[in-house]
Amino acid sequence: MRLPKFYYLLLLVFFAMASCKDTPKKVDSTTTVAKTTIDSTKITENEAEKEQEKDAFELTEENAIDYFFNYEKTLKENKVRITTKFGSFTVELFDNVPYHRANFIYLTKKGYFDDTQFHRVVKNFIIQGGNSDDKKTAEKRSKIGRYLLPPDTRKGHKHHRGTISMPSSEMDNPHKLASPFEFFIVVTDPGSYHLDDNYTPFGRVIDGMDVVDEINNVPVEKGDWPMRNVYIQKAEVIE
């Protein structure tokens, strides 16, 4: 018996509805994948932002002392090797001058001293490093921060030959606060003891003093700047 067209239409609608219920929705699975991707992207972005926040940390007059007080407690290393075109020399830092020791190691690990210069050479007296006429040095300083360190001259250390010490800032500075980005090494034999009450010795050269002497003998221009730049090619903390 032949059914009327009306029944055929009802059957078609019924099978179409059943087919829709049984077929999984591809849109839902696609949406789930898309959401997962977005979530993982957000996590990655958050991690990147946290790393940028760490890198963006700046030392200031307000936070430097507290920061170095805590930073010094974490340090196990106390030696720094400085490499120049004349060779390398090694500095051992004094444990009882904590702020200056921590500062020097911090800047070394930051890569600050790399590509700076021994910009002041005074015959039979000192070589002074940590500055440069290169714009990159100024950029490094601005990223690290603007701060000074208090003098620490009563720990029994004197400016013997080979002593590394920190110059005072050239700013209006009646208390002889130290310029943290620079250092000088005494070449005078046996020493330059007139510096003892004004500057802070924070280490000594234990190897490579012949390299220091060679730098001290380079020709200089007016103002004690070497005629040919003497770069610190690499400064690295060693055990």
Side-chain angles (χ1 to χ4, degrees):
M1 185 178 66
R2 193 169 181 180
L3 296 172
K5 285 185 180 180
F6 173 73
Y7 290 106
Y8 283 117
L9 289 173
L10 284 176
L11 288 170
L12 286 172
V13 171
F14 173 78
F15 285 121
M17 290 176 67
S19 176
C20 288
K21 286 180 182 178
D22 294 338
T23 305
K25 292 184 179 179
K26 292 183 180 179
V27 176
D28 287 346
S29 61
T30 306
T31 305
T32 303
V33 173
K35 283 181 180 177
T36 304
T37 305
I38 291 169
D39 289 343
S40 64
T41 303
K42 283 182 179 177
I43 291 169
T44 304
E45 288 174 354
N46 289 338
E47 289 174 352
E49 285 174 5
K50 286 178 183 178
E51 288 300 318
Q52 287 176 357
E53 285 174 6
K54 288 180 185 176
D55 293 340
F57 171 73
E58 286 187 17
L59 289 164
T60 66
E61 293 290 351
E62 288 73 30
N63 67 20
I65 296 303
D66 285 341
Y67 180 81
F68 286 129
F69 177 79
N70 293 311
Y71 181 73
E72 198 270 341
K73 292 178 180 178
T74 70
L75 298 179
K76 296 180 180 178
E77 314 96 329
N78 70 338
K79 295 183 183 70
V80 173
R81 181 190 294 123
I82 294 175
T83 301
T84 73
K85 66 180 180 180
F86 297 105
S88 301
F89 62 89
T90 301
V91 173
E92 183 180 59
L93 306 177
F94 301 140
D95 290 334
N96 65 345
V97 190
Y99 299 121
H100 294 69
R101 171 179 174 245
N103 172 77
F104 198 69
I105 290 179
Y106 178 80
L107 293 179
T108 299
K109 288 185 174 182
K110 280 281 188 181
Y112 168 74
F113 293 114
D114 298 351
D115 300 321
T116 59
Q117 301 170 23
F118 284 100
H119 58 281
R120 184 173 177 236
V121 172
V122 184
K123 301 294 182 185
N124 300 314
F125 179 38
I126 63 162
I127 64 171
Q128 185 167 327
N131 205 343
S132 172
D133 52 2
D134 192 328
K135 189 174 81 170
K136 288 182 180 178
T137 299
E139 290 173 351
K140 284 184 185 179
R141 289 190 181 197
S142 66
K143 287 181 181 178
I144 292 168
R146 183 180 174 84
Y147 63 101
L148 297 173
L149 294 177
D152 198 352
T153 60
R154 299 181 180 181
K155 298 296 175 64
H157 303 299
K158 297 187 176 296
H159 286 83
H160 301 300
R161 170 174 161 81
T163 294
I164 182 170
S165 188
M166 200 168 286
S168 58
S169 170
E170 294 179 356
M171 298 168 12
D172 182 18
N173 188 13
H175 300 293
K176 296 285 186 180
L177 298 178
S179 174
F181 296 104
E182 298 181 26
F183 61 91
F184 66 86
I185 298 171
V186 177
V187 176
T188 317
D189 191 3
S192 291
Y193 304 115
H194 64 286
L195 303 174
D196 288 349
D197 294 328
N198 294 314
Y199 306 96
T200 302
F202 64 94
R204 64 191 181 96
V205 176
I206 59 170
D207 184 51
M209 193 63 195
D210 57 323
V211 175
V212 176
D213 287 333
E214 194 166 354
I215 294 171
N216 188 246
N217 285 318
V218 300
V220 296
E221 299 176 344
K222 192 175 181 180
D224 301 319
W225 195 289
M227 294 182 71
R228 292 186 178 179
N229 290 333
V230 180
Y231 284 98
I232 295 174
Q233 297 169 342
K234 183 73 176 175
E236 54 194 323
V237 176
I238 59 175
E239 295 183 0

